[in-house]
Amino acid sequence: MAEPEFRATGVRIGRRLRSLTRAGQVRISDGRLELLTSYGTEIDSAPLRAVRTGKPWFAPQDRALAEVNGTRYLLTLGEHDPVPGEAGPPTVRTFLEAVRSAAGGRRD
């Protein structure tokens, strides 16, 4: 398996008002977006061409939306990029740029 193009740990993943995990993982690898629990169990995944991402209008800067297989997830990432070599969630901007570049520059 190839090295992930993007990986974030410590991400809060929620669906509507329900929190699915407080320390989940978001991974982009081989053209797929994967949402995982802190234990590595898959919550949802899909090819990037079937994923829509963006920022909610009236939410803090550390939140991103991801629509995977028709289900909307609210991702709470970090306010600052982690120090190199340390684990932690990157910023929303870094996540959105990684999705765009892995999908071939497509914008949603």
Side-chain angles (χ1 to χ4, degrees), residues 17-58:
L17 297 176
R18 183 175 168 222
S19 177
L20 301 175
T21 182
R22 287 194 246 169
Q25 301 174 41
V26 176
R27 208 168 41 191
I28 297 173
S29 181
D30 298 327
R32 291 185 67 82
L33 174 72
E34 299 174 319
L35 303 177
L36 308 168
T37 66
S38 57
Y39 298 109
T41 305
E42 184 177 291
I43 295 171
D44 209 345
S45 71
L48 284 171
R49 68 180 180 277
V51 173
R52 292 177 37 163
T53 58
K55 289 174 66 173
W57 284 8
F58 300 106

Side-chain angles (χ1 to χ4, degrees), residues 13-16 20 33 35 43-46 50-52 65-75:
I13 302 173
R15 186 170 51 210
R16 297 190 185 218
L20 301 175
L33 174 72
L35 303 177
I43 295 171
D44 209 345
S45 71
V51 173
R52 292 177 37 163
L65 290 173
E67 187 174 315
V68 181
N69 296 323
T71 304
R72 288 186 184 168
Y73 296 96
L74 182 63
L75 310 175

